[in-house]
Amino acid sequence: MSLAALSGAARACGLALRGAFHPLPDDHAPEGTGTLVLLGPDEPGLWTLFEASPEYEDRRPDPLDRWSARVLGGLAQRFGGTAVLPSDGPPWPPFLRWAERSGQAFPSPIGLSAHAEVGLMISYRGAIALPERLPLAAASPSPCETCATRPCTTACPIGALGTGAPYDVPACQRFLHRAEGQSCRTRGCRARRACPLSQILQRQDQQAAFHMAAFMGNWDDNKGESA
């Protein structure tokens, strides 16, 4: 068993290895985990596979979560591990902590995580907890430290994401519901798209619109805040 073998099998399923680490007790990984492997979308390949999946076709709720559960569950079974999904809970698995522990994800100037390879477009479909303590790649430097222009800090049209202030989620969601928010609704967050590393992913507009629709679905117009 090696991380290279798991990475190859994951890519065949539309997923990419986005970090791994040896958990400590306070990392709250499944009991007996020797190595926790984080998996995210391998774009643009994931979307093509997902659109052809039974979960996409059946038009039932949460198709991508159900697809992730099936695909990661199959990978975990194949490699003798346990699949963990962000939707498992409560209590919810601490994926942001796990991302930082992997040595591949870092706080960005706008507060969101930035990955060493894919920048601000990082997301995690799940993790696989393996019993073996496998050799790991060396930690990467933060990509933000060598980003000269930091375009993410000025890309948001309403300043909901910027340097020195928390992410203004209510303002973001209000904007998305207006006509001026069409570009963000159909192509994804401008701040994340502005990241030079994120631009190499070539995420399809259909995928971006799918995720933004899910994000907007958490909006409660009566309360004026994220639900």
Side-chain angles (χ1 to χ4, degrees), residues 10 16 55 64 84 89 132 186 188 206 214-215 217 227:
E55 291 84 5
L64 190 54
V84 186
E132 302 96 332
T186 58
Q206 302 98 306
F215 176 62

Side-chain angles (χ1 to χ4, degrees), residues 18-19 38 95-108 112-117 119 122 124 139-143:
R18 297 301 186 200
L38 299 172
F95 269 84
L96 292 179
R97 175 184 176 86
W98 292 350
E100 291 185 7
R101 286 278 286 118
S102 75
Q104 303 298 323
F106 311 87
S108 72
L112 304 180
S113 289
H115 189 270
E117 294 181 347
I122 183 61
Y124 300 96
S140 298
S142 168

Side-chain angles (χ1 to χ4, degrees), residues 4-26:
L6 175 55
S7 177
R11 284 195 179 276
C13 299
L15 297 169
L17 197 156
R18 297 301 186 200
F21 67 100
H22 300 140
L24 299 173
D26 60 355

Side-chain angles (χ1 to χ4, degrees), residues 202-222:
Q202 301 177 337
R203 175 177 284 189
Q204 298 181 45
D205 287 351
Q206 302 98 306
Q207 181 178 357
F210 175 91
H211 289 299
M212 296 305 287
F215 176 62
M216 292 171 65
N218 291 329
W219 173 250
D220 187 330
D221 290 312
N222 296 320

Side-chain angles (χ1 to χ4, degrees), residues 47-190:
W47 192 251
T48 301
L49 292 172
F50 173 58
E51 282 189 313
S53 72
E55 291 84 5
Y56 183 86
E57 293 290 343
D58 66 20
R59 302 300 176 180
R60 292 168 50 210
D62 305 316
L64 190 54
D65 284 347
R66 291 186 289 113
W67 179 91
S68 300
R70 175 174 61 83
V71 172
L72 270 88
L75 284 170
Q77 184 177 27
R78 176 176 171 183
F79 288 92
T82 301
V84 186
L85 303 179
S87 57
D88 291 342
W92 315 109
F95 269 84
L96 292 179
R97 175 184 176 86
W98 292 350
E100 291 185 7
R101 286 278 286 118
S102 75
Q104 303 298 323
F106 311 87
S108 72
I110 59 174
L112 304 180
S113 289
H115 189 270
E117 294 181 347
V118 297
L120 288 172
M121 207 61 77
I122 183 61
S123 63
Y124 300 96
R125 292 315 314 161
I128 295 180
L130 299 169
E132 302 96 332
R133 189 176 173 89
L134 300 174
L136 303 177
S140 298
S142 168
C144 302
E145 293 179 356
T146 55
C147 183
T149 58
R150 298 193 170 188
C152 63
T153 61
T154 57
C156 179
I158 58 167
L161 283 160
T163 303
Y167 176 23
D168 191 342
V169 177
C172 174
Q173 293 191 322
R174 283 194 296 269
F175 178 75
L176 288 172
H177 280 77
R178 302 204 302 263
E180 303 95 308
Q182 181 179 3
S183 174
C184 296
R185 286 198 308 272
T186 58
R187 300 191 61 211
C189 170
R190 290 189 194 179

